Amino acid sequence: MQISSAIFDCSAPDLDSCPDESLPEFAFIGRSNVGKSSLLNMLAGEQGLARVSPTPGFTKLINIFTINKTWRLVDLPGYGFAEGAKKDSARFNKAVARYLKHRTNLCLVFALIESGLEPQSIDLEFIEWLARNGVPFVLVFTKTDKIPPATAQANMAAFMEKISAWFMQPPAVFTCSAASGLGRQDLLGVIDKQMAAIEAAAGSANIAKVSPENQPDLDIKARERANRRRRPDLNRPW
């Protein structure tokens, strides 16, 4: 996949403020200071796409970008003990949780883990939450250029051992470096494969999607349940 355009769409404080669900979305999230913004800029090939800040937890809103006019890249607020976390988001942003559970056009979450650290409890808690709620995701170990390869491999193996009991089949694992560009084509390839599956499914299925506007008698929770059932049933890597 080649990125020909990356256009900022909006910064949404919650699920209800997000754009319509007409385009597939791929979300990126990780612990504060995991290197998410640098990774997003590397993927898009635009250094100014996501603002890189020395302050952990700088991203406070759900930032959405339209890529190639065909899909959306979603920059989610990081989790952890960032400045202001106790007041605004605690360990896990409730608006993000609602987005992950109920956004019908969310195709895949890229869960970022820092390769230079031994398994962190907050990362393990988040992955367990994703698994428990049936949210599709892959693991991306970041900053592999900053440590010896043996250290990265040991930390990754330890992390996978910690989460192994939660899955019949472990999630797909990728490594990346925003500095060297390592992993860029692999991650874009995952998105490309998902997009191809969506297009194939759309071509074979001739079932009209019911929009929320056509559900006047359903309350918000009922709409979310109906939307959840409409999420594409793709061949997922977890």
Side-chain angles (χ1 to χ4, degrees):
M1 173 183 288
Q2 297 297 322
I3 304 297
S4 59
S5 66
I7 302 171
F8 174 72
D9 198 327
C10 72
S11 291
D14 51 38
L15 176 63
D16 295 333
S17 303
C18 289
D20 62 53
E21 299 173 340
S22 59
L23 294 179
E25 291 179 356
F26 298 86
F28 290 74
I29 188 171
R31 179 181 52 81
S32 299
N33 205 33
V34 74
K36 174 167 56 71
S37 296
S38 297
L39 172 61
L40 295 181
N41 289 334
M42 181 265 282
L43 285 178
E46 294 192 16
Q47 289 306 308
L49 183 76
R51 182 174 175 182
V52 179
S53 172
T55 304
F58 179 80
T59 303
K60 301 295 185 183
L61 301 171
I62 300 173
N63 295 315
I64 302 174
F65 304 84
T66 298
I67 308 297
N68 293 349
K69 299 180 180 180
T70 56
W71 58 275
R72 297 189 187 120
L73 183 155
V74 182
D75 180 5
L76 294 174
Y79 51 85
F81 296 102
E83 182 178 354
K86 291 183 179 180
K87 177 181 178 181
D88 297 330
S89 61
R91 289 172 70 85
F92 186 29
N93 190 306
K94 292 182 179 179
V96 172
R98 190 159 178 255
Y99 169 87
L100 292 173
K101 290 175 66 176
H102 301 298
R103 185 67 166 167
T104 63
N105 56 326
L106 173 62
C107 295
L108 192 65
V109 174
F110 291 80
L112 310 184
I113 309 294
E114 188 169 342
S115 63
L117 299 177
E118 295 181 355
Q120 303 291 296
S121 61
I122 193 166
D123 289 325
L124 295 170
E125 289 172 16
F126 180 68
I127 296 304
E128 191 275 336
W129 184 92
L130 290 176
R132 177 160 38 87
N133 286 278
V135 179
F137 75 94
V138 297
L139 291 173
V140 183
F141 287 89
T142 66
K143 303 183 181 181
T144 55
D145 60 302
K146 298 183 180 298
I147 56 172
T151 301
Q153 289 298 324
N155 290 338
M156 291 166 56
F159 193 93
M160 297 305 294
E161 176 63 26
K162 289 282 188 180
I163 69 172
S164 60
W166 303 336
F167 307 94
M168 293 184 63
Q169 179 181 349
V173 175
F174 300 89
T175 58
C176 72
S177 165
S180 67
L182 173 70
R184 182 175 188 270
Q185 289 305 317
D186 288 339
L187 298 182
L188 290 177
V190 171
I191 296 174
D192 196 29
K193 184 177 180 180
Q194 293 285 305
M195 290 294 293
I198 291 171
E199 292 174 2
S204 61
N206 192 22
I207 302 174
K209 179 183 290 187
V210 180
S211 67
E213 292 78 11
N214 294 330
Q215 303 175 32
D217 297 329
L218 297 181
D219 60 19
I220 292 176
K221 292 296 183 181
R223 289 180 188 178
E224 288 177 347
R225 289 193 296 270
N227 287 341
R228 177 69 174 175
R229 290 193 293 271
R230 294 206 311 271
R231 181 175 289 178
D233 183 16
L234 305 178
N235 292 321
R236 310 228 189 245
W238 67 96

